[in-house]
Amino acid sequence: MANKAFGWAAKDTSGVLSPFSFSRRETNDKDVAFKVLYCGICHTDLHMAKNEWGMTSYPLVPGHEIVGIVTKVGSKVEKFKVGDKVGVGFVVDSCRACENCEKNLENYCPKYTPTSGATSPGGYSDSMVADERFVVRIPDELPLDSAAPLLCAGITVYSPLRYYGLDKPGLKIGVVGLGGLGHMAVKFAKAFGANVTVISTSPSKEKEALEHLGADSFLISRDHEKLQAATGTLDGIIDTVSANHPVVPLIGLLKSHGKLIMVGAPDKPLEIPIFPLLLGRKLVGGSAIGGLKETQEMVDFAAKHNVKPDVEIVPVDYVNSAFERLLKGDVKYRFVIDIGNTLKPSS
């Protein structure tokens, strides 16, 4: 029997959210059901709420940085019990049979199911249910409100740092953009022992990057003299910017064999001339979130090394204002909705 649920949903392309009652599937043999306590707000939620990518089905309950406490487990669940702290990220199901799924890369399964989509309402709601394969254990050392953004923003930058070998102590790593993703890239790169340079269009972010986030240096991407002076100094760059921007100056900052990894998603194609890649055997790559095994590894690493996002906790009825502020970049650095204390059927 389906379970009653309550949340906030977008009903049309205005993207405005309002209270919404719906049903969750019953808890099957391998399912974990949990009470949602916190849910992060990701820029993807805004894109989806407004159908900016042309794939939204309304009504849409957004949210894929979801954490809470287990309330029920199916009879064949092996990894979780009632009372455990858990989370669900961007992927809530996959085909489980393809080569990617067999290699714990469910995020690259051609048939993956996004957590906040037509068949699976997201985490701006009071409850969640998912197969245990797609549930992450949250260590006790991590506060639940801080854990939520790790499940998208955290894994999105952790995975490429690991996969592309940019996780070795002493490497010089650049981070382009200092938002939700960028500030996590700085924190993880520092935890890996890297020397970190933040590259930003905003001079106003220099103090924040150096003094608060612990970056080692700061480059303004429009300061051609400083960029010129930094030519060939970085082993790798994590580019978190989703606005259209020139990548040639970034390629210039790389050493030979350097890697420019894109994790932001500009809506127009970027121009990449080939000669700068040939002259230095450089690489431009991409990465999207991570598989469930790696997501668990990332959360455990974050707990061990005290890597936590900077969050602003907001009540659920503030979500539309939070969307407006997110559009202006007015958040340091991730909104997290206090679902447990503020989501009420009358709210």
Side-chain angles (χ1 to χ4, degrees), residues 295-313:
T295 302
Q296 185 67 65
E297 175 194 297
M298 176 273 307
V299 168
D300 293 342
F301 179 93
K304 183 178 178 183
H305 296 273
N306 197 31
V307 177
K308 294 185 295 203
D310 291 15
V311 299
E312 180 179 335
I313 309 293

Side-chain angles (χ1 to χ4, degrees), residues 172-176 186 195-199 215-219 234:
K172 294 193 169 177
I173 305 298
V175 174
V176 187
V186 172
N195 178 291
V196 178
T197 298
V198 169
I199 303 154
D216 300 280
S217 52
F218 186 88
L219 282 174
L234 299 178

Side-chain angles (χ1 to χ4, degrees), residues 29-297:
D29 288 350
K30 295 284 284 177
D31 281 346
V32 174
F34 64 95
K35 173 180 169 61
V36 177
L37 296 181
Y38 295 97
C39 186
I41 297 180
C42 174
H43 221 289
T44 299
D45 298 341
L46 189 53
H47 291 305
M48 290 296 291
K50 296 186 171 190
N51 195 26
E52 289 175 352
W53 293 340
M55 58 172 86
T56 302
S57 299
Y58 295 105
L60 174 87
V61 179
H64 56 261
E65 299 179 343
I66 315 165
V67 294
I69 304 286
V70 176
T71 52
K72 187 178 180 183
V73 294
S75 59
K76 293 182 181 171
V77 168
E78 297 170 359
K79 296 191 289 186
F80 302 99
K81 64 183 187 306
V82 171
D84 284 351
K85 297 175 185 172
V86 295
V88 166
F90 191 78
V91 178
V92 80
D93 204 357
S94 66
C95 81
R96 312 184 200 195
C98 69
E99 187 178 358
N100 284 323
C101 286
E102 286 177 0
K103 291 181 176 175
N104 299 302
L105 295 169
E106 300 90 348
N107 50 315
Y108 297 127
C109 171
K111 297 178 180 174
Y112 85 90
T113 303
T115 298
S116 169
T119 58
S120 172
Y124 295 13
S125 60
D126 57 4
S127 63
M128 186 69 198
V129 59
D131 184 286
E132 72 169 334
R133 173 171 177 163
F134 298 89
V135 178
V136 175
R137 179 180 302 282
I138 307 296
D140 287 337
E141 300 91 322
L142 271 180
L144 284 179
D145 53 2
S146 298
L150 291 174
L151 300 175
C152 176
I155 187 62
T156 295
V157 296
Y158 178 92
S159 184
L161 285 167
R162 294 276 286 150
Y163 177 78
Y164 289 101
L166 303 177
D167 56 347
K168 312 290 184 288
L171 289 181
K172 294 193 169 177
I173 305 298
V175 174
V176 187
L178 200 58
L181 293 177
H183 95 290
M184 288 311 307
V186 172
K187 292 187 181 207
F188 274 118
K190 288 299 294 181
F192 285 133
N195 178 291
V196 178
T197 298
V198 169
I199 303 154
S200 172
T201 55
S202 311
S204 59
K205 290 187 176 176
E206 180 168 5
K207 187 178 180 191
E208 175 81 5
L210 300 177
E211 295 179 16
H212 177 63
L213 295 174
D216 300 280
S217 52
F218 186 88
L219 282 174
I220 296 158
S221 52
R222 296 191 178 105
D223 187 334
H224 299 296
E225 273 184 39
K226 292 243 176 84
L227 285 185
Q228 197 66 38
T231 295
T233 58
L234 299 178
D235 295 288
I237 296 173
I238 302 292
D239 187 340
T240 71
V241 174
S242 287
N244 294 308
H245 60 290
V247 294
V248 176
L250 301 176
I251 294 169
L253 294 173
L254 293 171
K255 298 178 182 178
S256 293
H257 305 155
K259 298 161 186 171
L260 170 60
I261 311 305
M262 316 300 287
V263 296
D267 57 5
K268 293 191 177 72
L270 300 178
E271 279 196 25
I272 301 178
I274 300 305
F275 267 108
L277 300 181
L278 304 182
L279 303 173
R281 197 152 57 180
K282 298 176 184 181
L283 182 80
V284 178
S287 185
I289 50 173
L292 271 296
K293 183 180 178 185
E294 188 175 49
T295 302
Q296 185 67 65
E297 175 194 297

